[in-house]
Amino acid sequence: IALQKDERCVKCNQVISDGVLALGKHYCASCFVCTKCRKPFSGSFVNVEGEPQHSTCVDKHIEVLSGKDKDKT
């Protein structure tokens, strides 16, 4: 990405040398991770209220909210 001099990461506030522009925010490459599982992205991500997440993490969250993850006895 084209960074302005002294552009800072939205997460760690450090000056970015290798970064990502996503959701209108600048991130260090190491700070641009899923806000649910904290793992890096290997491809696309989902915008959840302005925060990047894996689609699988979003699906798991929806299952928990709907009760689909509970064991049936």
Side-chain angles (χ1 to χ4, degrees), residues 11 22-23 25 27 31-38 41 45-54 58:
K11 293 289 182 181
L23 306 172
K25 303 172 189 174
Y27 297 85
C31 286
F32 187 64
V33 296
C34 176
T35 55
K36 283 287 181 194
C37 70
R38 305 285 187 241
F41 298 100
F45 64 91
V46 179
N47 178 354
V48 179
E49 297 180 359
E51 298 294 335
Q53 294 183 13
H54 291 112
V58 174

Side-chain angles (χ1 to χ4, degrees), residues 59-72:
D59 293 343
K60 288 177 187 174
H61 182 70
I62 290 170
E63 286 179 7
V64 168
L65 291 177
S66 68
K68 290 183 180 179
D69 69 328
K70 295 180 181 177
D71 292 332
K72 294 182 180 180

